[in-house]
Structures are given as C-alpha cells and as structure tokens.
Amino acid sequence: RKLYVGIMSFFAVVFTISILFLPFYNPIYFYLQHVSLFLFMAMFIYYLLKLGYDRLEKRIYKKTALKGYTITIFVALLFLFSNVQLYAIETYQTSGFQACSYYDEYNNSIYYTQLSNQCPELEVLAKTDNELVFRVYESISGKSEPGYMISNNTSYNLDAKLRIDIMIQYFLDGSIQSVDTKKSTNILLHSDDENYKVYNSFHTYIENFRYFDTLSESINQFTTKMTVQVLEDHFYDYDNYENVNHYTGDEFLASYVGYQSTRQDYYLSQSNQEVFQIVAQKIVYDDSTFTNGQSEILRVYDASCYDEYCSIQEGMTDGTLQSVDPIEYYNDIYAYVSYYKAGGITYDYQTYHYQDGEDERRYVTYSTFEDYPLVFSSEHTSYENLLNPGIERNSFNYRGRTYMEHGDFYSIFNQTVYGTKMITKDSTMGRDNTRISNYASDFVTSEYSSVDEVGTFNNFYDALYINDYGSTLATRFRAESYEILYQKNPLIFDLLIFNE
C-alpha cells in the first residue's frame, strides 16, 4: 500500500511541476502533464473501488458478478474523467485567439492580420529579388455597434470583406525601398427587412531615400515620405459584396508626411570609437510635392560605436531645439540601447507601473535564433514579483515546425514561398483576449484604420502603417514581446557606422 500511494504521489508531483513550472505548450511537457494526471486519477479511482470491493467481498457470494460490476464502474469512471479532461483541455488549454504576422525572406514585416482570430494566406502575385507583390482577403461576420451608420441606434447583422493589395520594392541589401498599400472594405448591414451597403478605402504610399557621405561612403541621412489617402465609411451601392474593388476617384482625404534622420558631429576618436548623434524629425507637408512643410524634432540619439558594438542613448524632446549645442537637443534620456552587430540588442527604458514610482524600467532583449538575426529573447521589469513575472523565450520543435513561448503567448514559425508566416496564440488558460470585441463593426470601420493626426496610427497591427517608420519611432525603436522578429527602424539603424 505504501508503494502504491508513493507511485500516486509521484504522478501528482509530476503533474504539479509540469503545469506550474514547465513551458506550457511544449508537446513533451503537455503529454507528461496529462498522462500523469490521468494515471493519478486511474490509480485513485482504483484505490477507492478496491476498498469498497474488499468490504463487499466478504458479504457477497457471487464474486464474479461483483468483479464484473466493479470493473464496469471503474471503466465508466475513467471514461467520465477522460471526457472531463478533454473538455478542460479544449476549454482552457486550446486558445481560440490567434493573430498572424508575415515576414519576407529578408525578415522585414510585410503584413499583420486585420481582423480577430484570422490567419489568411497571402496570394503572391509577383516575386523577384527586388519586388514582392501580394494580395490578401479577410472576412468577418457579427453585429454592428448600435448607431453605426444608421441613426436609429439599432444593431444590425454585419458581414464585411477586406481586400488588401501590397507592392514592395527593395534596396539591393533587402531592406524596403517603397511600399504601396491599398486596402478596401465592403460592409453589408442587414436585418430581416433592411439592407445597407457601406464601403471605405485607404491608400498609402511610402518611399525611402538613402543619402551617403562621400568620404566614408556610409549613410548619413535617411528620409521617408508617406502619402495617405482616406475614403471614410459611406453608403455605396457596390455590385457584389464578395467582389471588393479599390476606389480610384478623387474624393480621398489626403495627407503628406515626411521623416528625416541625420547623423551629426561624427568623428573618429583615438580609441577607434565612432561618436556621433542622430537627430530624427517629422515634417508635415502642404501637398504631394513634398516641398513646403513644417518640421519638429521627434527623437535624438547619442551613439558610440566600436567595430562590433553600439551604445545608444535615446533623448526625448518637446519638438524644438533646446540649444545650438547638439548635445542639448533633448530634455531627458529616455532609453539606453546596446546593439551588437553579431546579432543582439538590449533595451533599458522607462515604463509606468501603477503601484510603483515613476522611475520604473523595462529591459527587453533580442538575440539570434535559428536562421533569424533578431528574435525576442526576454523581457523583465524593475517591479517584477510573483504576480508580475518576467518573460523568457522557450522554444521547441514539433513535427518539423518551430514553436516559441513568450509570456502569455506562443508563436509558430511557418516557412513560406515569400518568407515566414508567424501564427501567435494566447496561451493563458480561460482568459478572454482584449482584441475580441462584441461588435464586428469595430474592426472594419474607417476609424479603425484612420489616423488620429497626420502620421500617427491607432492600431499596431494595421497593414497600412507597418512601414511608417516615423510613427513607430517612439514605440518600436524599443521593443515589446509581441513583435517576435525585431524590426530595425532604418531612421536609426541605417545611420549606424557598421551598417550590414
């Protein structure tokens, strides 16, 4: 009996360790977790039935019937528990939430899913060394928010279909030279006796320019120009809901924004250390000629680079120059960055935690991983505790694919003809993800993709602004665990001395 209880205790300990301390979705640990739980319950049920059998055996003469009855109960209870276990796995360990990000063969992000819980296939229309053209469709059904497009404050049934066409041109080194994105949506609002057709359309064109220093032959200025054209939600009698076309009329609302970063005060010290400053500014232009505009300073970066390593300080500004001295462009140092040419980057930057003081820090690290140069590695904070643990990368291979857990999510690497498709799912048991809205209209309205101000977008995942390097400068020069393959912002990284 002691041996039996000891074996039961062993399975209980294995289950407890696997569910509390081991990577959540590693198939080896997953099988270990549920096999140990099932064996523990089988032994526990057998132990209880054996106690009952031993007591009844002395009172009942038909031993065969008693054995048959006991075995039947044992099988029935195991069957019942196995169904409960399968239900728990399906409910709490099989995530309904998923989102996909897509990367080309050079590891540039090229698309993010727009709608909740979708991972569509990209239809590649053309692919060469310097061009990638693809099309993608996404659909959603559900309810519209009360009052959406209709003044009677009624919620209608909603069906919507998105079409996104993207054409990318590359520099010789594989970085992005230009991105032409067209996104249009057919929306059908309907009830038993009413039908309304709604349409919106967006067009962004982003073009990047590099300027080289004639002596060092390195890039000393990077400029990006972006044209945004918006046709907001309006009633539109399209012929076929399934056939989404891009609008070509002249009713678009247009804006023109430029971003420019310049390397200044560059010199070579006696210690073979490159010391310079990068000033990034935003320019709002009057028209498509990109000639007359109003500029403001966005960020200032002090950099010290050796042969294989750069130390960078990010300075915050209020949009104006503080002094003639370039060192005084910014008011405060916001982030410290360590960048290694061999394949690593670490961020140390200010963050806010509601229970602690203002000077809280977050430390995010990316490092090389398999065939990728910079993949999320870890994320820690200065206020870590048992309730706010840090995040470490855990990876494993299963059936020829690479899986990676990172905090409350796990991602699956899928190789494609254009590069990599990354499927990301929620790995937190029983949690409702905040991206899931009660109203389908929240994901397809023009407000979902429109700009708050020129060049500043609402949604990190929006396909229109993936390569809007200026707007992402304040958030994605740093890092977060949701961006698995780190995207080096060329407004900064193209101006570092040891460009790859």
Side-chain angles (χ1 to χ4, degrees):
R1 180 178 296 182
K2 290 182 179 180
L3 177 61
Y4 193 89
V5 173
I7 295 175
M8 285 178 56
S9 301
F10 172 76
F11 287 135
V13 170
V14 169
F15 171 75
T16 303
I17 292 175
S18 64
I19 198 170
L20 294 180
F21 302 106
L22 297 180
F24 197 71
Y25 274 93
N26 187 309
I28 296 176
Y29 301 138
F30 184 84
Y31 296 146
L32 183 66
Q33 174 188 137
H34 288 285
V35 168
S36 62
L37 176 61
F38 184 82
L39 291 176
F40 169 80
M41 287 302 300
M43 294 183 70
F44 181 70
I45 293 172
Y46 176 82
Y47 181 78
L48 294 180
L49 290 177
K50 184 66 166 60
L51 290 177
Y53 178 85
D54 290 341
R55 291 185 179 184
L56 293 175
E57 185 181 22
K58 299 176 182 179
R59 303 177 184 179
I60 298 177
Y61 294 103
K62 295 181 179 181
K63 303 292 191 300
T64 303
L66 179 60
K67 289 181 180 180
Y69 182 70
T70 304
I71 293 173
T72 301
I73 295 178
F74 179 70
V75 172
L77 289 175
L78 280 184
F79 178 77
L80 178 62
F81 176 74
S82 64
N83 279 273
V84 172
Q85 190 175 14
L86 290 173
Y87 174 80
I89 292 173
E90 183 178 354
T91 304
Y92 298 107
Q93 290 187 286
T94 303
S95 173
F97 166 78
Q98 63 177 353
C100 274
S101 50
Y102 304 77
Y103 305 87
D104 59 24
E105 60 183 338
Y106 307 109
N107 296 315
N108 299 303
S109 60
I110 56 175
Y111 187 72
Y112 296 107
T113 48
Q114 305 294 285
L115 303 180
S116 180
N117 298 331
Q118 297 206 14
C119 283
E121 297 297 328
L122 304 188
E123 179 187 354
V124 178
L125 305 177
K127 183 182 181 300
T128 64
D129 291 340
N130 60 359
E131 182 183 68
L132 176 63
V133 182
F134 63 89
R135 178 177 299 154
V136 59
Y137 289 95
E138 295 189 40
S139 300
I140 192 172
S141 297
K143 291 287 186 179
S144 67
E145 186 176 5
Y148 170 67
M149 297 298 296
I150 313 295
S151 59
N152 58 13
N153 205 34
T154 300
S155 179
Y156 289 83
N157 296 319
L158 180 146
D159 295 296
K161 187 170 184 178
L162 280 68
R163 171 184 170 181
I164 301 98
D165 287 84
I166 297 179
M167 181 174 67
I168 303 173
Q169 301 284 337
Y170 296 95
F171 289 111
L172 292 178
D173 63 356
S175 57
I176 292 177
Q177 182 176 15
S178 65
V179 182
D180 192 334
T181 303
K182 295 181 176 66
K183 172 185 173 182
S184 300
T185 309
N186 284 350
I187 304 171
L188 184 62
L189 302 173
H190 57 94
S191 62
D192 293 337
D193 54 355
E194 293 179 292
N195 284 282
Y196 300 95
K197 297 178 180 179
V198 181
Y199 176 83
N200 60 52
S201 187
F202 297 83
H203 180 197
T204 61
Y205 181 70
I206 299 171
E207 190 172 12
N208 300 317
F209 303 88
R210 292 168 164 176
Y211 301 94
F212 291 82
D213 182 87
T214 55
L215 296 178
S216 64
E217 297 184 352
S218 61
I219 301 172
N220 62 0
Q221 186 179 98
F222 187 94
T223 299
T224 178
K225 298 178 181 179
M226 181 173 66
T227 300
V228 179
Q229 295 178 303
V230 179
L231 186 67
E232 296 182 338
D233 293 352
H234 67 289
F235 293 111
Y236 184 76
D237 190 19
Y238 46 76
D239 295 331
N240 184 355
Y241 160 76
E242 294 291 340
N243 186 20
V244 186
N245 295 308
H246 298 303
Y247 188 73
T248 57
D250 56 2
E251 287 87 356
F252 282 101
L253 298 175
S255 58
Y256 309 94
V257 182
Y259 298 95
Q260 179 177 287
S261 60
T262 306
R263 192 174 72 233
Q264 299 181 4
D265 291 347
Y266 160 78
Y267 65 88
L268 179 65
S269 70
Q270 294 181 353
S271 60
N272 199 30
Q273 177 185 12
E274 313 285 359
V275 180
F276 54 95
Q277 190 172 72
I278 295 173
V279 178
Q281 59 181 319
K282 170 185 175 181
I283 309 170
V284 179
Y285 290 96
D286 297 332
D287 52 45
S288 59
T289 63
F290 289 92
T291 52
N292 298 317
Q294 184 175 359
S295 65
E296 62 173 311
I297 303 297
L298 288 179
R299 292 286 189 273
V300 178
Y301 302 92
D302 285 330
S304 300
C305 291
Y306 300 85
D307 292 337
E308 301 292 332
Y309 164 78
C310 278
S311 176
I312 306 167
Q313 295 180 357
E314 178 186 0
M316 302 289 288
T317 80
D318 61 3
T320 60
L321 302 184
Q322 301 300 311
S323 170
V324 177
D325 184 356
I327 301 301
E328 300 300 326
Y329 275 178
Y330 52 84
N331 300 326
D332 189 20
I333 296 176
Y334 186 83
Y336 301 90
V337 184
S338 299
Y339 176 48
Y340 301 87
K341 185 178 180 180
I345 189 166
T346 301
Y347 288 84
D348 169 4
Y349 61 94
Q350 291 176 334
T351 186
Y352 171 76
H353 186 241
Y354 67 96
Q355 291 181 341
D356 298 287
E358 296 182 358
D359 192 24
E360 301 298 335
R361 313 292 298 180
R362 175 168 288 160
Y363 316 99
V364 184
T365 302
Y366 281 68
S367 63
T368 55
F369 178 77
E370 296 185 347
D371 297 328
Y372 303 93
L374 287 173
V375 178
F376 174 80
S377 180
S378 67
E379 179 178 315
H380 296 277
T381 61
S382 58
Y383 52 84
E384 278 186 19
N385 52 48
L386 291 176
L387 298 178
N388 297 288
I391 299 173
E392 293 287 345
R393 179 175 73 198
N394 290 292
S395 61
F396 53 91
N397 293 315
Y398 181 61
R399 293 186 176 181
R401 293 195 296 180
T402 299
Y403 290 68
M404 192 180 92
E405 291 187 59
H406 45 105
D408 293 336
F409 301 94
Y410 72 99
S411 299
I412 309 169
F413 294 70
N414 297 270
Q415 299 308 309
T416 67
V417 294
Y418 53 81
T420 304
K421 177 182 178 180
M422 189 81 69
I423 302 174
T424 298
K425 294 192 174 187
D426 191 340
S427 64
T428 302
M429 294 192 298
R431 186 180 70 174
D432 292 329
N433 195 281
T434 55
R435 283 197 69 201
I436 300 176
S437 171
N438 292 327
Y439 302 111
S441 56
D442 290 344
F443 294 101
V444 294
T445 175
S446 60
E447 295 180 359
Y448 177 77
S449 299
S450 63
V451 291
D452 293 321
E453 57 184 56
V454 178
T456 302
F457 60 91
N458 287 322
N459 187 0
F460 172 83
Y461 292 95
D462 202 299
L464 291 167
Y465 305 105
I466 290 176
N467 304 108
D468 177 6
Y469 300 120
S471 291
T472 58
L473 192 65
T475 56
R476 289 176 62 199
F477 177 58
R478 299 187 299 277
E480 301 287 351
S481 59
Y482 48 68
E483 182 68 275
I484 304 304
L485 302 187
Y486 181 69
Q487 302 298 299
K488 294 187 291 186
N489 193 320
L491 285 168
I492 305 302
F493 286 95
D494 272 29
L495 274 66
L496 298 182
I497 299 302
F498 55 73
N499 290 312
E500 298 178 348

